[in-house]
Amino acid sequence: MRPARRDTPRTLPARLLTGLAALIGLVVVGALCPGAALAQSPAARSAAAPSPGAQAAGLHISDGRLLEGNGNDFVMRGVNHAHTWYPGETQSLADVKALGANSVRVVLSDGHRWSENGPADVAAVIEQCKANRLICVLEVHDTTGYGEDAAAGTLDHAADYWIGLKDVLAGQEDYVIVNIGNEPWGNTDPAGWTEPTTAAVKKLRAAGLQHTIMVDAPNWGQDWQGVMRANARSVYDADPTGNLIFSIHMYSVFDTAQEITDYLNAFVDVELPILIGEFGGPADQYGDPDEDTMMATAEQLGLGYLAWSWSGNTDPVLDLALGFDPSRLSGWGERIFHGVNGIAQTSEEATVYGGGASDDTEAPTAPGTPSATAVTDTSVTLGWAAATDDTAVTGYDVVLVGDGAGTTVASSTTTTATVTGLTAATTYTFAVHARDAAGNRSARSATVEVTTDEGGGTPGGTCSVGYRVVGEWPGGFQGEIAVRNTGSTAVGPWTLAFAFADGQSITNMWGGTATQNAGAVSVAPASYTATIPAGGTVTLGFTARKGDTNTAPAAFTLDGASCVTT
């Protein structure tokens, strides 16, 4: 469970703490028990259930699988994008496509809790998805945690919103999936999820919507009490088109391989469609999700997954890209896009766009030899000649070469990239790979050696700190501090110190605990940021009060040693 990501970008996580102790306790004793209502044989249910996808147009469900209109199996490999809070970040769709995604889940608001995304805006989002050859999952976020969070809206209200968009959605069945409401029930009486979910599905079908409908689980999407698992058959049978898919969100509830495989196989075994609509990997104070098993099992079973989330989280630990910059993927982002069973390795473009990895097996040519500019003690900018491809080159990966292998350290959709977090006075060897939309990767370019400048910190210092303002409003702002261990051994527990010059005052922080005396700030780590591995980075986020001037801190120390400021 990731509380921070569920609020607006400028508010702090508080509302998921209710019932959390009970949640964790029940998870430990195995609350994810199979429900009897789910365990029907295909033969037993075929007599009563409608023919799956019989009345569906475009994307549809058949025999527990999500298919395109032409019958091609479609497996979602994509990310979530917080459009309703960052409506100006429209480049994000092109960026996730360039990294290999075939789908994106777009956060919208029905106006109950946040500003409503109106018909023109939603139509524009759909067109942007189509222009970037992405299948578009549209979801209403206002329902998050209903029954436990007093600010949450109802599924009925969300259904009315979708019906109000009927003209916008009409004819988009090949490209759009309607996710009625995000995590539409909290931990309070989750059995209450079934009836309003069924009613919302019936309401949308009665209004004439033929799109594939996606429904999220209760318990903040994680279904740790098994309510969706137990009642999935009855909810599915309530859809007269049979065109419905279930979405489980996997965070720290799913921290063992057995929990993950048991849950997903429970649906697959009885041919009920399911995907992982959100999931996270980085550990937090609630546990350590087993993202490796999530991704491996999704690939083994041919199930979709949509990672949370592209950028803009209140707790940046879940940002796949830092600051919406595709050339600054976090460790989490590298895992999702370039890791084993990741998007680049497993994604296939929807055939409605005329694509698909099965049709494109030709890799791009190798890029030109990179050259280095703007070399500092902690960073370098690389540029190279473009690669060519039989269709189109969609991106490049910069790799750090060592012992013949290459570790991706930056990605870009252009022919330049900046590599950060380097150690002063150190020689590095870099090369570049090109990628196309089908995920084919080129041979490695020739290499370039770069030696960073001498460091500017105190001799013996082994840290660098990046500070930035994420957003500002009258009287306040949100900031981010990335602390990198540039040494050869792990650091922790640690103390970070810095000073504000203009009277700024931290009001809350995630990733650490701040103590402030006048302008001087001292930060102790949270449990999940207490250790910074060699070469690793932890990110702190905070909100603060400010006056008319908001100068960044001039210097930082880690355990008393000066850090290089980047």
Side-chain angles (χ1 to χ4, degrees), residues 368-388:
T369 304
S371 59
T373 59
V375 179
T376 72
D377 52 351
T378 61
S379 67
V380 60
T381 297
L382 299 173
W384 55 88
T388 60

Side-chain angles (χ1 to χ4, degrees), residues 480-508:
E480 176 185 285
I481 305 171
V483 184
R484 181 172 177 81
N485 175 8
T486 58
S488 59
T489 60
V491 173
W494 45 265
T495 300
L496 180 74
F498 60 94
F500 285 120
D502 301 318
Q504 301 98 320
S505 176
I506 291 177
T507 55
N508 214 326

Side-chain angles (χ1 to χ4, degrees), residues 288-299:
D288 187 0
D290 185 358
E291 70 275 15
D292 291 341
T293 298
M294 296 174 201
M295 296 167 72
T297 305
E299 181 64 13

Side-chain angles (χ1 to χ4, degrees), residues 43 51 76 100 109 188 226 230 307 317 323 330 365 394-396 427 436 460 497 525 544 551:
S51 174
M76 278 186 263
S109 172
T188 303
V317 71
S330 65
T365 63
T394 57
Y396 296 90
T427 300
D436 63 19
T551 307

Side-chain angles (χ1 to χ4, degrees), residues 310-330:
W310 177 240
S311 199
N313 289 281
T314 52
D315 185 347
V317 71
L318 281 172
D319 280 359
L320 296 161
L322 304 179
F324 294 93
D325 184 349
S327 69
R328 298 173 62 217
L329 294 184
S330 65

